[in-house]
Amino acid sequence: MEKAKQIDDAQGYVEKIEAALREYLPAAAGREEKLMRAMEYSLLAGGKRVRPVLTLAFCRLCGGDVEAALPFACAVEMIHTYSLIHDDLPCMDDDDMRRGRPSNHVAFDEATALLAGDALLTLAFERMLCAQSIALVGAERAARAAGILATQAGWSGMVAGQVIDLMSEGRQVTLEQLKEMDEKKTGALIWAAVQIGCEIAGAPTQYREAAGLYARNVGLAFQIVDDILDQTADAAQLGKPIGSDAANDKATYVSLLGLERCQELAQQLTAGAVKALDVFDGDTSFLRSLAQSLAQRKK
Amino acid sequence: MEKAKQIDDAQGYVEKIEAALREYLPAAAGREEKLMRAMEYSLLAGGKRVRPVLTLAFCRLCGGDVEAALPFACAVEMIHTYSLIHDDLPCMDDDDMRRGRPSNHVAFDEATALLAGDALLTLAFERMLCAQSIALVGAERAARAAGILATQAGWSGMVAGQVIDLMSEGRQVTLEQLKEMDEKKTGALIWAAVQIGCEIAGAPTQYREAAGLYARNVGLAFQIVDDILDQTADAAQLGKPIGSDAANDKATYVSLLGLERCQELAQQLTAGAVKALDVFDGDTSFLRSLAQSLAQRKK
């Protein structure tokens, strides 16, 4: 494999990730061809690729080889993608659209979407633990990175968050409960993404802790900004006062705290993420602006 | 951990496996308690535990430590269990009963069953790659064992088999196609189970090849016997001639080959499995009688 060309910019990272995801997908062939097409449909549907970018950027910041981290970064994205496919299913959120296109079970069918999700979840581990990946980073780091992802994606992390989310529908939810749900449903995978970057680089403990702090802050800010954008879009569309939430009975940060407090909080969390970067010796400007751009995004 | 007490009998293996599965399940707690109960409901529902028994027996036959193989054996069973939960869902086979009890989505609900399956699939990797398991067998073997399981359970193995199975419904299927489907849907995981036992023991290549041959033979014999049992039970129940299959439009070995040829074939395959054991130096009597008892089972 060609020696890593280290590019610390979002565009460069995303290009690497897109190419690698394409490479790691199985070719559509055989009687199970539809499965592969369904996997590809969702995995190559674009998106910001925030999680794998975080893996690569933290790996690089900790002195690791970005090329060696690519299979692991892509594994995080595969887990994220499978969770979206399963989340959209009729028995879950029953969403017909995802990223401006029909969701997987609409484009294919429910059984295929279910199995494409299962296959992507499994492919994440297959890719991290194949002979090539083990050769790139060594068995110790490969096993530990895959272990981090399994722990954060499973019953105590992302899947727990999905269960809590389902159980919260139509119920009174406190701010603490909303935070717990988000920390599991989306925060756990963002935390895994940064920790895997550190693991592949063999980072020291203080780097891992700072990366974890950055991830926690960015993850929560991301959710709060999501809520702000949803609410302001709804309000603009429906001509109703911001903060009222008649169309949707789910509690949000905006419904619980109000718009102004949410905007303050998102700024504080982003500042906290940026502050966490202080301990690193390397150039943190990319991760600093990533945190800021996520907080200032418009959609 | 107490030093392995090496018991080479089915009862001893199953007891170890049941105890370990119970230990590895998360305690039901928190707002996501229902998820844990759904995971436990299916994982502790009994069954013959053929796959993890194969892992332990091959590990032992290759001179490995059965206790060290336990997390990996249980991971295979977790994957098997998740596949049953997802297979029973309304969008798949839509089965209301499993092992004489309501299937997972009937006992809980579809969303919980979907997520319990996802969580068990993820838990398999979490358990194989946790610090304890890595300490028991070393990172090399842990990573390779988990890699074997991911490859066999995913898009080219078990999940592909499920897709092919779904696509075969109501269609003319050749014997070759039926075999391909079974080799993927059930054979791949049985093959993984024995290979993982060999991997944990650090077995030499000729042992792994013989174990693979044993698994391929046992796996196919198992399916053929399944079909024989289903057909003879159906015939007894419905008073119709054996081999006619009006109630079910799925092709089976019996519908394609006839009952007598199937019985011969199951015997040949079992003999092939037993023959494959010849290369081993150790005591193969347990694995010999396991192959025979699977072929001679009554339900």
Side-chain angles (χ1 to χ4, degrees):
Chain A
M1 187 176 284
E2 186 191 15
K3 179 74 192 82
K5 213 173 96 193
Q6 304 268 12
I7 315 170
D8 203 11
D9 69 277
Q11 181 69 13
Y13 284 140
V14 170
E15 279 168 17
K16 273 182 193 298
I17 291 159
E18 296 290 342
L21 288 174
R22 201 171 289 273
E23 180 195 333
Y24 301 156
L25 273 170
R31 283 191 293 159
E32 61 274 39
E33 186 206 334
K34 194 179 183 184
L35 173 73
M36 284 77 159
R37 287 194 291 111
M39 292 166 75
E40 181 182 305
Y41 179 84
S42 292
L43 192 62
L44 301 186
K48 291 181 288 294
R49 311 294 192 195
V50 174
R51 292 158 192 79
V53 165
L54 284 171
T55 302
L56 299 186
F58 270 99
C59 177
R60 174 150 156 67
L61 179 57
C62 297
D65 176 358
V66 165
E67 296 294 324
L70 255 182
F72 299 87
C74 289
V76 178
E77 190 69 5
M78 290 172 193
I79 297 281
H80 175 56
T81 303
Y82 114 75
S83 78
L84 300 180
I85 297 174
H86 282 189
D87 246 359
D88 287 342
L89 284 169
C91 69
M92 298 278 293
D93 287 353
D94 195 11
D95 275 325
D96 285 352
M97 296 292 286
R98 164 74 61 185
R99 291 176 177 152
R101 298 194 309 165
S103 46
N104 200 291
H105 66 275
V106 175
F108 296 87
D109 53 62
E110 274 184 59
T112 303
L114 172 69
L115 292 171
D118 291 346
L120 284 169
L121 166 46
T122 312
L123 182 62
F125 291 98
E126 184 178 351
R127 176 46 57 181
M128 288 185 286
L129 300 165
C130 69
Q132 269 177 299
S133 301
I134 291 176
L136 276 172
V137 304
E140 285 279 349
R141 289 182 188 176
R144 281 202 298 255
I148 290 168
L149 189 50
T151 304
Q152 298 303 317
W155 65 271
S156 66
M158 189 180 73
V159 175
Q162 288 170 301
V163 173
I164 296 173
D165 191 18
L166 283 172
M167 297 190 62
S168 304
E169 271 177 44
R171 293 193 193 185
Q172 287 279 355
V173 168
T174 66
L175 182 63
E176 276 314 301
Q177 290 177 325
L178 184 60
K179 272 180 68 179
E180 187 208 354
M181 191 268 281
D182 282 331
E183 274 163 15
K184 292 182 172 178
K185 190 173 178 183
T186 56
L189 205 54
I190 292 173
W191 190 87
V194 307
Q195 294 302 328
I196 289 170
C198 295
E199 177 63 47
I200 299 304
T205 308
Q206 76 272 21
Y207 279 12
R208 293 178 197 236
E209 285 172 0
L213 191 58
Y214 176 93
R216 295 273 180 238
N217 276 275
V218 164
L220 188 52
F222 192 89
Q223 283 306 310
I224 292 174
V225 172
D226 239 21
D227 282 358
I228 294 172
L229 292 171
D230 280 351
Q231 291 278 336
T232 48
D234 280 0
Q237 207 177 348
L238 304 171
K240 63 181 183 175
I242 286 167
S244 79
D245 197 9
N248 184 341
D249 57 6
K250 271 194 187 179
T252 69
Y253 294 102
V254 177
S255 71
L256 288 168
L257 293 173
L259 189 61
E260 203 172 326
R261 180 79 191 96
C262 281
Q263 282 161 336
E264 274 173 33
L265 207 53
Q267 280 182 0
Q268 283 166 12
L269 288 163
T270 303
V274 169
K275 183 93 183 72
L277 297 171
D278 283 353
V279 301
F280 291 95
D281 285 330
D283 178 3
T284 60
S285 55
F286 172 74
L287 284 163
R288 197 164 59 235
S289 45
L290 181 64
Q292 284 157 349
S293 70
L294 288 172
Q296 286 155 14
R297 73 192 191 279
K298 297 295 174 211
K299 67 176 187 79
Chain B
M1 189 176 281
E2 185 191 12
K3 179 73 190 80
K5 212 173 97 194
Q6 304 267 12
I7 316 171
D8 202 11
D9 70 277
Q11 181 68 15
Y13 285 139
V14 171
E15 278 168 18
K16 274 182 195 298
I17 291 158
E18 296 290 341
L21 287 174
R22 202 171 289 275
E23 181 195 331
Y24 301 154
L25 274 169
R31 282 190 293 159
E32 60 275 38
E33 186 207 335
K34 193 179 183 183
L35 173 72
M36 284 77 159
R37 287 194 291 110
M39 292 166 75
E40 181 183 306
Y41 179 84
S42 292
L43 191 63
L44 301 185
K48 292 182 288 292
R49 311 297 192 193
V50 174
R51 292 158 193 80
V53 165
L54 284 171
T55 302
L56 299 186
F58 270 99
C59 176
R60 175 153 157 63
L61 179 57
C62 298
D65 176 358
V66 166
E67 296 295 324
L70 256 181
F72 300 87
C74 289
V76 178
E77 189 68 6
M78 290 173 194
I79 297 283
H80 175 56
T81 304
Y82 114 75
S83 77
L84 300 180
I85 297 174
H86 283 189
D87 247 356
D88 287 340
L89 284 169
C91 68
M92 299 277 292
D93 287 351
D94 195 12
D95 274 325
D96 285 352
M97 297 293 286
R98 165 72 63 185
R99 290 176 178 152
R101 299 194 308 166
S103 46
N104 199 291
H105 66 276
V106 175
F108 296 88
D109 54 61
E110 275 184 57
T112 304
L114 171 69
L115 292 171
D118 292 345
L120 283 170
L121 166 47
T122 313
L123 182 62
F125 291 97
E126 184 179 351
R127 175 46 58 179
M128 289 185 285
L129 300 164
C130 69
Q132 270 178 295
S133 300
I134 292 176
L136 275 173
V137 304
E140 284 279 350
R141 290 182 187 176
R144 281 200 299 253
I148 290 167
L149 190 50
T151 304
Q152 299 303 316
W155 66 270
S156 65
M158 190 179 73
V159 174
Q162 288 170 301
V163 173
I164 296 173
D165 191 19
L166 283 172
M167 298 190 63
S168 305
E169 271 177 47
R171 293 193 194 186
Q172 287 279 357
V173 169
T174 66
L175 181 64
E176 276 314 301
Q177 289 177 325
L178 184 59
K179 272 180 68 180
E180 188 208 352
M181 190 267 281
D182 282 332
E183 273 163 14
K184 291 182 173 176
K185 189 173 178 185
T186 57
L189 205 54
I190 292 173
W191 191 87
V194 308
Q195 294 302 328
I196 289 169
C198 294
E199 177 62 48
I200 299 303
T205 308
Q206 75 271 24
Y207 279 12
R208 292 178 198 234
E209 284 172 359
L213 192 57
Y214 176 94
R216 295 274 178 235
N217 277 276
V218 163
L220 188 52
F222 191 89
Q223 283 305 311
I224 293 174
V225 173
D226 239 23
D227 281 359
I228 294 173
L229 292 171
D230 280 353
Q231 292 277 336
T232 48
D234 280 0
Q237 212 179 343
L238 304 171
K240 62 179 182 174
I242 285 167
S244 79
D245 197 12
N248 186 339
D249 57 5
K250 271 194 188 178
T252 70
Y253 294 102
V254 178
S255 71
L256 289 170
L257 293 173
L259 189 61
E260 205 172 322
R261 180 79 191 98
C262 281
Q263 282 161 338
E264 274 171 34
L265 206 53
Q267 278 182 2
Q268 284 167 11
L269 289 163
T270 303
V274 169
K275 183 92 184 71
L277 297 172
D278 282 354
V279 302
F280 292 97
D281 285 330
D283 178 4
T284 60
S285 55
F286 172 74
L287 284 162
R288 200 165 56 233
S289 44
L290 181 65
Q292 285 157 348
S293 70
L294 289 171
Q296 286 156 14
R297 72 192 191 280
K298 296 295 175 209
K299 68 175 187 80

